[in-house]
Amino acid sequence: MARSESARRRTFDDAADLYDRVRPTYPPQLFDDLADLADLRSESRVLEIGCGTGQATIALAERGYEIVAVELGANMGALARRHLARFPRVHVVVSAFEEWPLPVERFDAVVSATAFHWLDPAVRVIKSADALRPGGTLATIHIHHITGGDQNFWVEVQRCYERWDPKTPPLLGLLSAADVAPDAAELDQSGRFGPITFRRYEWNVSYSTVSYLDLLRTYSDHRALEPRARDGLLVCIGDLIDSRYEGCVTKGYLAELWLAQCVEP
């Protein structure tokens, strides 16, 4: 993994409380589908990679699974333990997944919600397969920012990004849900998983100016900006929401659930 990517994935831990407060949760139907398609039952063993502060973990724990949740950040892990304290079958481990020694007993499912893309590509698929029993399921959840809600805002806000973040491509815009195409090549080429099943979920979230700026403060690319540029960007976006959108903006999300069964190597 490139050093810059490794550093960026560690920035979330510095904003753990804010992340816990403002990041959107996942649609409940997603976890119903995950349980059904992966044939998970209350006695199932689940490994979660990158649990963050426990947004997805709680939904899994409420189904009674035995869960080992591996989280890179100590602050994130501490919040996850606090949120999950009422579930005695959930254990939070603070470690990089790439370095964490797999237990002898294999898992019925490996789940990673909005975290799999941060893992080392040389490790993530093969180690996930090694963690699973034959026939166990790898389930990854991918979040996309899509057109929806206040469409004009996503066009106008690009002027703020082009001014304060020189790396912003000109005329950058959001894709529609129909234009988001999953790429399963990595799993297919590993030889460790069977055909992939996809499910998709769309929803909108409305934010006040303050809550939307707080959300942006949790994004790794925004956190990586120089402080002057980041502050200027946030002021520009806040002024736009207040002056043209009456202090409230609605954002569209797409969640993709990918599931694949582990096969013998």
Side-chain angles (χ1 to χ4, degrees):
M1 177 186 294
R3 182 176 299 178
S4 61
E5 287 296 297
S6 178
R8 278 182 60 190
R9 75 173 186 167
R10 294 178 182 274
T11 63
F12 300 111
D13 200 51
D14 296 331
D17 289 300
L18 191 60
Y19 187 104
D20 186 55
R21 179 163 57 85
V22 302
R23 282 294 182 109
T25 55
Y26 302 94
Q29 184 62 45
L30 184 154
F31 297 100
D32 291 340
D33 291 343
L34 194 162
D36 181 49
L37 294 169
D39 195 25
L40 296 180
R41 307 174 189 280
S42 60
E43 65 271 17
S44 295
R45 280 173 44 82
V46 174
L47 169 63
E48 186 185 5
I49 306 171
C51 71
T53 62
Q55 287 96 329
T57 324
I58 292 173
L60 297 170
E62 288 173 341
R63 296 174 179 273
Y65 309 143
E66 179 183 350
I67 301 171
V68 177
V70 179
E71 168 52 42
L72 176 66
N75 294 326
M76 296 281 233
L79 279 172
R81 286 195 183 104
R82 188 186 312 165
H83 294 323
L84 295 158
R86 69 184 190 273
F87 300 105
R89 301 187 72 207
V90 177
H91 309 280
V92 177
V93 177
V94 174
S95 174
F97 172 68
E98 296 90 336
E99 301 166 4
W100 181 62
L102 292 176
V104 174
E105 186 177 0
R106 295 299 182 241
F107 295 89
D108 299 297
V110 171
V111 178
S112 186
T114 326
F116 203 70
H117 64 289
W118 287 112
L119 302 177
D120 187 341
V123 175
R124 59 194 177 199
V125 171
I126 299 304
K127 189 166 184 177
S128 295
D130 289 344
L132 287 164
R133 63 168 175 78
T137 299
L138 171 63
T140 58
I141 301 167
H142 308 267
I143 299 295
H144 303 279
H145 307 285
I146 59 170
T147 55
D150 293 306
Q151 301 275 20
N152 288 338
F153 172 76
W154 310 112
V155 176
E156 293 185 284
V157 78
Q158 286 308 118
R159 291 196 291 269
C160 295
Y161 284 95
E162 290 170 8
R163 176 182 176 186
W164 292 103
D165 183 0
K167 298 187 297 297
T168 301
L171 303 178
L172 179 67
L174 295 175
L175 296 175
S176 69
D179 292 328
V180 176
D183 181 2
E186 184 180 17
L187 293 184
D188 291 340
Q189 293 168 6
S190 73
R192 299 294 303 274
F193 290 94
I196 299 177
T197 298
F198 299 98
R199 292 291 185 272
R200 292 156 65 92
Y201 315 83
E202 294 181 52
W203 75 104
N204 290 335
V205 179
S206 294
Y207 296 94
S208 68
T209 302
V210 171
S211 62
Y212 186 66
L213 296 182
D214 280 345
L215 177 69
L216 296 181
R217 289 184 177 98
T218 70
Y219 291 161
S220 63
D221 52 353
H222 291 64
R223 296 183 63 78
L225 290 172
E226 292 296 325
R228 179 178 175 276
R230 182 172 60 247
D231 293 344
L233 174 63
L234 295 177
V235 168
C236 183
I237 295 172
D239 288 345
L240 175 63
I241 298 173
D242 285 338
S243 64
R244 293 183 56 80
Y245 295 89
E246 300 181 344
C248 181
V249 67
T250 299
K251 183 178 181 61
Y253 290 95
L254 168 68
E256 288 187 311
L257 174 62
W258 301 14
L259 304 104
Q261 284 193 326
C262 182
V263 297
E264 290 287 359

Short mmCIF file of all heavy atoms in Angstrom, two decimals, residues 84-136:
data_model
loop_
_atom_site.label_atom_id
_atom_site.label_comp_id
_atom_site.label_asym_id
_atom_site.label_seq_id
_atom_site.Cartn_x
_atom_site.Cartn_y
_atom_site.Cartn_z
N LEU A 84 -20.99 -1.21 21.94
CA LEU A 84 -21.29 -2.64 21.84
C LEU A 84 -21.20 -3.36 23.17
O LEU A 84 -21.27 -4.59 23.21
CB LEU A 84 -20.33 -3.28 20.83
CG LEU A 84 -20.50 -2.77 19.39
CD1 LEU A 84 -19.23 -3.01 18.58
CD2 LEU A 84 -21.69 -3.45 18.73
N ALA A 85 -21.07 -2.62 24.25
CA ALA A 85 -20.86 -3.23 25.57
C ALA A 85 -22.00 -4.16 25.97
O ALA A 85 -21.81 -5.12 26.72
CB ALA A 85 -20.67 -2.13 26.62
N ARG A 86 -23.21 -3.89 25.44
CA ARG A 86 -24.36 -4.72 25.82
C ARG A 86 -24.42 -6.04 25.08
O ARG A 86 -25.31 -6.85 25.33
CB ARG A 86 -25.65 -3.94 25.62
CG ARG A 86 -26.03 -3.67 24.16
CD ARG A 86 -27.29 -2.81 24.10
NE ARG A 86 -27.84 -2.69 22.76
CZ ARG A 86 -27.48 -1.79 21.87
NH1 ARG A 86 -26.51 -0.93 22.18
NH2 ARG A 86 -28.06 -1.72 20.67
N PHE A 87 -23.47 -6.27 24.18
CA PHE A 87 -23.45 -7.52 23.40
C PHE A 87 -22.25 -8.36 23.83
O PHE A 87 -21.13 -8.13 23.37
CB PHE A 87 -23.36 -7.20 21.90
CG PHE A 87 -24.50 -6.39 21.37
CD1 PHE A 87 -24.33 -5.04 21.07
CD2 PHE A 87 -25.75 -6.96 21.17
CE1 PHE A 87 -25.37 -4.28 20.58
CE2 PHE A 87 -26.81 -6.21 20.67
CZ PHE A 87 -26.63 -4.86 20.38
N PRO A 88 -22.44 -9.34 24.69
CA PRO A 88 -21.30 -10.11 25.20
C PRO A 88 -20.59 -10.96 24.16
O PRO A 88 -19.44 -11.38 24.39
CB PRO A 88 -21.92 -10.97 26.30
CG PRO A 88 -23.38 -11.06 25.96
CD PRO A 88 -23.71 -9.76 25.30
N ARG A 89 -21.22 -11.20 23.02
CA ARG A 89 -20.60 -12.04 21.98
C ARG A 89 -19.83 -11.21 20.94
O ARG A 89 -19.40 -11.75 19.93
CB ARG A 89 -21.67 -12.89 21.29
CG ARG A 89 -22.45 -13.81 22.22
CD ARG A 89 -23.36 -14.72 21.44
NE ARG A 89 -22.61 -15.75 20.73
CZ ARG A 89 -23.02 -16.35 19.62
NH1 ARG A 89 -24.16 -15.97 19.05
NH2 ARG A 89 -22.30 -17.29 19.04
N VAL A 90 -19.68 -9.93 21.21
CA VAL A 90 -18.93 -9.06 20.30
C VAL A 90 -17.60 -8.67 20.94
O VAL A 90 -17.56 -8.24 22.10
CB VAL A 90 -19.73 -7.79 19.95
CG1 VAL A 90 -18.90 -6.86 19.06
CG2 VAL A 90 -21.03 -8.15 19.27
N HIS A 91 -16.53 -8.84 20.21
CA HIS A 91 -15.18 -8.53 20.71
C HIS A 91 -14.51 -7.59 19.73
O HIS A 91 -14.37 -7.92 18.54
CB HIS A 91 -14.36 -9.81 20.87
CG HIS A 91 -15.07 -10.88 21.65
ND1 HIS A 91 -15.14 -10.88 23.02
CD2 HIS A 91 -15.78 -11.97 21.24
CE1 HIS A 91 -15.84 -11.93 23.43
NE2 HIS A 91 -16.25 -12.60 22.36
N VAL A 92 -14.08 -6.43 20.20
CA VAL A 92 -13.41 -5.43 19.36
C VAL A 92 -11.91 -5.55 19.57
O VAL A 92 -11.42 -5.51 20.71
CB VAL A 92 -13.89 -4.01 19.68
CG1 VAL A 92 -13.13 -2.98 18.84
CG2 VAL A 92 -15.39 -3.89 19.45
N VAL A 93 -11.18 -5.68 18.47
CA VAL A 93 -9.73 -5.81 18.50
C VAL A 93 -9.13 -4.61 17.77
O VAL A 93 -9.53 -4.31 16.63
CB VAL A 93 -9.27 -7.11 17.80
CG1 VAL A 93 -7.74 -7.18 17.77
CG2 VAL A 93 -9.87 -8.32 18.47
N VAL A 94 -8.23 -3.88 18.41
CA VAL A 94 -7.55 -2.76 17.75
C VAL A 94 -6.29 -3.27 17.08
O VAL A 94 -5.33 -3.67 17.74
CB VAL A 94 -7.23 -1.64 18.76
CG1 VAL A 94 -6.41 -0.54 18.08
CG2 VAL A 94 -8.52 -1.06 19.33
N SER A 95 -6.30 -3.27 15.77
CA SER A 95 -5.17 -3.79 14.98
C SER A 95 -5.41 -3.47 13.51
O SER A 95 -6.56 -3.33 13.08
CB SER A 95 -5.04 -5.30 15.16
OG SER A 95 -4.04 -5.83 14.31
N ALA A 96 -4.35 -3.38 12.75
CA ALA A 96 -4.48 -3.41 11.30
C ALA A 96 -4.84 -4.83 10.88
O ALA A 96 -4.20 -5.80 11.34
CB ALA A 96 -3.18 -2.97 10.64
N PHE A 97 -5.84 -4.97 10.03
CA PHE A 97 -6.25 -6.31 9.61
C PHE A 97 -5.08 -7.05 8.97
O PHE A 97 -4.92 -8.26 9.17
CB PHE A 97 -7.41 -6.21 8.63
CG PHE A 97 -7.79 -7.52 7.99
CD1 PHE A 97 -8.34 -8.54 8.72
CD2 PHE A 97 -7.57 -7.72 6.62
CE1 PHE A 97 -8.69 -9.76 8.13
CE2 PHE A 97 -7.91 -8.93 6.02
CZ PHE A 97 -8.47 -9.94 6.78
N GLU A 98 -4.27 -6.34 8.21
CA GLU A 98 -3.16 -6.97 7.51
C GLU A 98 -2.18 -7.64 8.48
O GLU A 98 -1.51 -8.60 8.13
CB GLU A 98 -2.42 -5.94 6.65
CG GLU A 98 -3.24 -5.36 5.52
CD GLU A 98 -4.00 -4.11 5.92
OE1 GLU A 98 -4.27 -3.93 7.14
OE2 GLU A 98 -4.33 -3.31 5.04
N GLU A 99 -2.08 -7.12 9.70
CA GLU A 99 -1.12 -7.63 10.69
C GLU A 99 -1.76 -8.53 11.73
O GLU A 99 -1.04 -9.19 12.49
CB GLU A 99 -0.45 -6.44 11.39
CG GLU A 99 0.30 -5.51 10.44
CD GLU A 99 0.66 -4.18 11.09
OE1 GLU A 99 0.40 -4.03 12.32
OE2 GLU A 99 1.19 -3.31 10.39
N TRP A 100 -3.07 -8.59 11.75
CA TRP A 100 -3.78 -9.35 12.79
C TRP A 100 -3.69 -10.85 12.50
O TRP A 100 -4.01 -11.29 11.40
CB TRP A 100 -5.24 -8.91 12.82
CG TRP A 100 -6.09 -9.58 13.84
CD1 TRP A 100 -5.95 -9.54 15.19
CD2 TRP A 100 -7.24 -10.41 13.57
NE1 TRP A 100 -6.93 -10.28 15.79
CE2 TRP A 100 -7.74 -10.82 14.82
CE3 TRP A 100 -7.88 -10.82 12.41
CZ2 TRP A 100 -8.85 -11.64 14.94
CZ3 TRP A 100 -8.99 -11.63 12.52
CH2 TRP A 100 -9.47 -12.03 13.77
N PRO A 101 -3.24 -11.65 13.49
CA PRO A 101 -3.16 -13.10 13.25
C PRO A 101 -4.54 -13.75 13.25
O PRO A 101 -5.32 -13.56 14.19
CB PRO A 101 -2.32 -13.60 14.43
CG PRO A 101 -2.49 -12.58 15.51
CD PRO A 101 -2.70 -11.26 14.81
N LEU A 102 -4.85 -14.48 12.21
CA LEU A 102 -6.15 -15.13 12.12
C LEU A 102 -6.28 -16.21 13.17
O LEU A 102 -5.34 -16.98 13.43
CB LEU A 102 -6.33 -15.75 10.73
CG LEU A 102 -6.45 -14.79 9.55
CD1 LEU A 102 -6.54 -15.59 8.25
CD2 LEU A 102 -7.66 -13.89 9.70
N PRO A 103 -7.45 -16.33 13.81
CA PRO A 103 -7.66 -17.42 14.76
C PRO A 103 -7.77 -18.76 14.03
O PRO A 103 -8.01 -18.81 12.82
CB PRO A 103 -8.98 -17.04 15.44
CG PRO A 103 -9.69 -16.20 14.44
CD PRO A 103 -8.63 -15.45 13.69
N VAL A 104 -7.62 -19.82 14.78
CA VAL A 104 -7.70 -21.16 14.19
C VAL A 104 -9.10 -21.43 13.68
O VAL A 104 -9.30 -21.95 12.58
CB VAL A 104 -7.27 -22.22 15.22
CG1 VAL A 104 -7.50 -23.62 14.65
CG2 VAL A 104 -5.81 -22.03 15.61
N GLU A 105 -10.11 -21.08 14.48
CA GLU A 105 -11.50 -21.33 14.07
C GLU A 105 -11.92 -20.32 13.02
O GLU A 105 -11.80 -19.11 13.20
CB GLU A 105 -12.44 -21.24 15.28
CG GLU A 105 -13.86 -21.64 14.96
CD GLU A 105 -14.77 -21.60 16.18
OE1 GLU A 105 -14.29 -21.27 17.27
OE2 GLU A 105 -15.97 -21.88 16.02
N ARG A 106 -12.41 -20.84 11.90
CA ARG A 106 -12.77 -19.98 10.79
C ARG A 106 -14.17 -19.38 10.98
O ARG A 106 -14.95 -19.81 11.81
CB ARG A 106 -12.69 -20.75 9.47
CG ARG A 106 -11.27 -21.20 9.14
CD ARG A 106 -10.34 -19.99 9.00
NE ARG A 106 -8.99 -20.36 8.63
CZ ARG A 106 -7.92 -20.12 9.37
NH1 ARG A 106 -8.05 -19.54 10.55
NH2 ARG A 106 -6.72 -20.46 8.95
N PHE A 107 -14.48 -18.38 10.15
CA PHE A 107 -15.71 -17.62 10.27
C PHE A 107 -16.72 -18.01 9.19
O PHE A 107 -16.34 -18.46 8.11
CB PHE A 107 -15.41 -16.12 10.16
CG PHE A 107 -14.57 -15.59 11.30
CD1 PHE A 107 -13.18 -15.61 11.20
CD2 PHE A 107 -15.16 -15.09 12.44
CE1 PHE A 107 -12.39 -15.13 12.24
CE2 PHE A 107 -14.39 -14.61 13.48
CZ PHE A 107 -13.00 -14.63 13.39
N ASP A 108 -17.98 -17.80 9.51
CA ASP A 108 -19.04 -18.03 8.52
C ASP A 108 -19.16 -16.88 7.54
O ASP A 108 -19.62 -17.06 6.41
CB ASP A 108 -20.38 -18.23 9.24
CG ASP A 108 -20.36 -19.43 10.17
OD1 ASP A 108 -20.17 -20.56 9.68
OD2 ASP A 108 -20.50 -19.23 11.39
N ALA A 109 -18.75 -15.69 7.98
CA ALA A 109 -18.80 -14.52 7.10
C ALA A 109 -17.71 -13.54 7.50
O ALA A 109 -17.37 -13.41 8.68
CB ALA A 109 -20.16 -13.84 7.16
N VAL A 110 -17.17 -12.87 6.51
CA VAL A 110 -16.30 -11.72 6.71
C VAL A 110 -17.05 -10.52 6.13
O VAL A 110 -17.46 -10.55 4.97
CB VAL A 110 -14.94 -11.89 6.01
CG1 VAL A 110 -14.15 -10.58 6.05
CG2 VAL A 110 -14.14 -13.01 6.66
N VAL A 111 -17.22 -9.50 6.96
CA VAL A 111 -17.99 -8.31 6.56
C VAL A 111 -17.08 -7.09 6.67
O VAL A 111 -16.34 -6.94 7.65
CB VAL A 111 -19.23 -8.12 7.46
CG1 VAL A 111 -19.99 -6.85 7.07
CG2 VAL A 111 -20.14 -9.33 7.38
N SER A 112 -17.15 -6.23 5.67
CA SER A 112 -16.41 -4.97 5.73
C SER A 112 -17.28 -3.87 5.15
O SER A 112 -17.64 -3.90 3.97
CB SER A 112 -15.09 -5.07 4.96
OG SER A 112 -14.31 -3.90 5.15
N ALA A 113 -17.65 -2.90 6.00
CA ALA A 113 -18.54 -1.82 5.60
C ALA A 113 -17.75 -0.53 5.39
O ALA A 113 -17.21 0.03 6.35
CB ALA A 113 -19.63 -1.62 6.66
N THR A 114 -17.66 -0.10 4.16
CA THR A 114 -16.98 1.15 3.78
C THR A 114 -15.53 1.15 4.25
O THR A 114 -14.99 2.20 4.62
CB THR A 114 -17.73 2.38 4.34
OG1 THR A 114 -19.12 2.13 4.35
CG2 THR A 114 -17.46 3.60 3.47
N ALA A 115 -14.90 -0.01 4.25
CA ALA A 115 -13.52 -0.08 4.73
C ALA A 115 -12.63 -0.94 3.84
O ALA A 115 -11.40 -0.80 3.89
CB ALA A 115 -13.48 -0.64 6.16
N PHE A 116 -13.21 -1.82 3.04
CA PHE A 116 -12.40 -2.80 2.31
C PHE A 116 -11.42 -2.13 1.36
O PHE A 116 -10.29 -2.59 1.16
CB PHE A 116 -13.31 -3.76 1.54
CG PHE A 116 -12.68 -5.08 1.21
CD1 PHE A 116 -12.41 -6.01 2.20
CD2 PHE A 116 -12.37 -5.40 -0.10
CE1 PHE A 116 -11.84 -7.24 1.90
CE2 PHE A 116 -11.80 -6.62 -0.41
CZ PHE A 116 -11.53 -7.54 0.59
N HIS A 117 -11.82 -1.00 0.76
CA HIS A 117 -10.96 -0.31 -0.20
C HIS A 117 -9.73 0.30 0.45
O HIS A 117 -8.76 0.64 -0.23
CB HIS A 117 -11.74 0.76 -0.96
CG HIS A 117 -12.24 1.88 -0.09
ND1 HIS A 117 -13.27 1.72 0.82
CD2 HIS A 117 -11.85 3.17 0.01
CE1 HIS A 117 -13.48 2.86 1.43
NE2 HIS A 117 -12.64 3.76 0.97
N TRP A 118 -9.75 0.45 1.79
CA TRP A 118 -8.60 1.00 2.50
C TRP A 118 -7.54 -0.06 2.80
O TRP A 118 -6.41 0.28 3.18
CB TRP A 118 -9.04 1.65 3.81
CG TRP A 118 -9.75 2.95 3.65
CD1 TRP A 118 -11.07 3.21 3.91
CD2 TRP A 118 -9.20 4.19 3.19
NE1 TRP A 118 -11.37 4.52 3.64
CE2 TRP A 118 -10.23 5.15 3.20
CE3 TRP A 118 -7.91 4.58 2.78
CZ2 TRP A 118 -10.02 6.48 2.81
CZ3 TRP A 118 -7.71 5.89 2.39
CH2 TRP A 118 -8.76 6.82 2.41
N LEU A 119 -7.87 -1.33 2.65
CA LEU A 119 -6.93 -2.40 2.98
C LEU A 119 -5.91 -2.58 1.87
O LEU A 119 -6.15 -2.23 0.72
CB LEU A 119 -7.69 -3.71 3.20
CG LEU A 119 -8.77 -3.70 4.29
CD1 LEU A 119 -9.48 -5.05 4.32
CD2 LEU A 119 -8.19 -3.36 5.65
N ASP A 120 -4.78 -3.15 2.22
CA ASP A 120 -3.71 -3.41 1.26
C ASP A 120 -4.23 -4.37 0.19
O ASP A 120 -4.64 -5.50 0.51
CB ASP A 120 -2.52 -4.01 1.99
CG ASP A 120 -1.29 -4.16 1.10
OD1 ASP A 120 -1.44 -4.14 -0.14
OD2 ASP A 120 -0.19 -4.33 1.64
N PRO A 121 -4.24 -3.96 -1.08
CA PRO A 121 -4.75 -4.85 -2.14
C PRO A 121 -3.99 -6.17 -2.25
O PRO A 121 -4.55 -7.15 -2.74
CB PRO A 121 -4.56 -4.01 -3.42
CG PRO A 121 -4.48 -2.60 -2.95
CD PRO A 121 -3.82 -2.65 -1.60
N ALA A 122 -2.75 -6.20 -1.79
CA ALA A 122 -1.97 -7.43 -1.87
C ALA A 122 -2.39 -8.45 -0.82
O ALA A 122 -1.99 -9.61 -0.88
CB ALA A 122 -0.48 -7.12 -1.72
N VAL A 123 -3.21 -8.00 0.16
CA VAL A 123 -3.54 -8.85 1.31
C VAL A 123 -5.03 -9.11 1.43
O VAL A 123 -5.45 -10.23 1.78
CB VAL A 123 -3.02 -8.20 2.62
CG1 VAL A 123 -3.44 -8.99 3.84
CG2 VAL A 123 -1.51 -8.03 2.58
N ARG A 124 -5.86 -8.11 1.15
CA ARG A 124 -7.24 -8.11 1.62
C ARG A 124 -8.08 -9.29 1.12
O ARG A 124 -8.81 -9.90 1.92
CB ARG A 124 -7.92 -6.81 1.24
CG ARG A 124 -7.96 -6.47 -0.25
CD ARG A 124 -8.35 -5.02 -0.48
NE ARG A 124 -8.32 -4.68 -1.91
CZ ARG A 124 -8.26 -3.43 -2.36
NH1 ARG A 124 -8.21 -2.43 -1.51
NH2 ARG A 124 -8.26 -3.20 -3.66
N VAL A 125 -7.99 -9.66 -0.15
CA VAL A 125 -8.84 -10.73 -0.66
C VAL A 125 -8.38 -12.09 -0.16
O VAL A 125 -9.19 -12.90 0.33
CB VAL A 125 -8.88 -10.69 -2.20
CG1 VAL A 125 -9.59 -11.93 -2.74
CG2 VAL A 125 -9.60 -9.44 -2.68
N ILE A 126 -7.09 -12.36 -0.26
CA ILE A 126 -6.58 -13.67 0.13
C ILE A 126 -6.73 -13.90 1.62
O ILE A 126 -7.14 -14.99 2.06
CB ILE A 126 -5.10 -13.81 -0.29
CG1 ILE A 126 -4.98 -13.69 -1.82
CG2 ILE A 126 -4.54 -15.14 0.18
CD1 ILE A 126 -5.81 -14.66 -2.60
N LYS A 127 -6.44 -12.88 2.44
CA LYS A 127 -6.56 -13.07 3.88
C LYS A 127 -8.02 -13.21 4.29
O LYS A 127 -8.34 -13.98 5.20
CB LYS A 127 -5.91 -11.91 4.64
CG LYS A 127 -5.82 -12.16 6.14
CD LYS A 127 -4.88 -11.19 6.85
CE LYS A 127 -4.74 -11.56 8.32
NZ LYS A 127 -3.78 -10.70 9.03
N SER A 128 -8.92 -12.50 3.62
CA SER A 128 -10.35 -12.68 3.89
C SER A 128 -10.77 -14.11 3.58
O SER A 128 -11.53 -14.73 4.35
CB SER A 128 -11.18 -11.70 3.07
OG SER A 128 -10.94 -10.37 3.46
N ALA A 129 -10.30 -14.64 2.47
CA ALA A 129 -10.61 -16.03 2.12
C ALA A 129 -10.04 -16.99 3.15
O ALA A 129 -10.71 -17.97 3.55
CB ALA A 129 -10.07 -16.36 0.73
N ASP A 130 -8.82 -16.73 3.61
CA ASP A 130 -8.21 -17.60 4.61
C ASP A 130 -8.96 -17.56 5.94
O ASP A 130 -8.90 -18.53 6.72
CB ASP A 130 -6.76 -17.17 4.86
CG ASP A 130 -5.84 -17.48 3.68
OD1 ASP A 130 -6.24 -18.29 2.81
OD2 ASP A 130 -4.74 -16.89 3.62
N ALA A 131 -9.68 -16.46 6.20
CA ALA A 131 -10.43 -16.34 7.45
C ALA A 131 -11.75 -17.09 7.41
O ALA A 131 -12.36 -17.33 8.46
CB ALA A 131 -10.70 -14.86 7.75
N LEU A 132 -12.20 -17.48 6.22
CA LEU A 132 -13.51 -18.09 6.05
C LEU A 132 -13.46 -19.61 5.99
O LEU A 132 -12.51 -20.18 5.47
CB LEU A 132 -14.15 -17.58 4.75
CG LEU A 132 -14.65 -16.14 4.75
CD1 LEU A 132 -14.89 -15.66 3.32
CD2 LEU A 132 -15.93 -16.01 5.57
N ARG A 133 -14.50 -20.22 6.50
CA ARG A 133 -14.68 -21.65 6.26
C ARG A 133 -15.06 -21.84 4.79
O ARG A 133 -15.55 -20.90 4.14
CB ARG A 133 -15.77 -22.21 7.17
CG ARG A 133 -17.14 -21.61 6.91
CD ARG A 133 -18.25 -22.38 7.59
NE ARG A 133 -19.55 -21.74 7.44
CZ ARG A 133 -20.29 -21.77 6.35
NH1 ARG A 133 -19.89 -22.43 5.28
NH2 ARG A 133 -21.47 -21.17 6.31
N PRO A 134 -14.85 -23.03 4.23
CA PRO A 134 -15.32 -23.28 2.86
C PRO A 134 -16.82 -23.03 2.76
O PRO A 134 -17.60 -23.50 3.59
CB PRO A 134 -14.98 -24.75 2.63
CG PRO A 134 -13.84 -25.02 3.56
CD PRO A 134 -14.10 -24.18 4.78
N GLY A 135 -17.21 -22.26 1.78
CA GLY A 135 -18.62 -21.90 1.64
C GLY A 135 -19.02 -20.67 2.42
O GLY A 135 -20.16 -20.20 2.28
N GLY A 136 -18.11 -20.14 3.26
CA GLY A 136 -18.40 -18.90 3.96
C GLY A 136 -18.45 -17.73 3.00
O GLY A 136 -18.02 -17.81 1.85
#
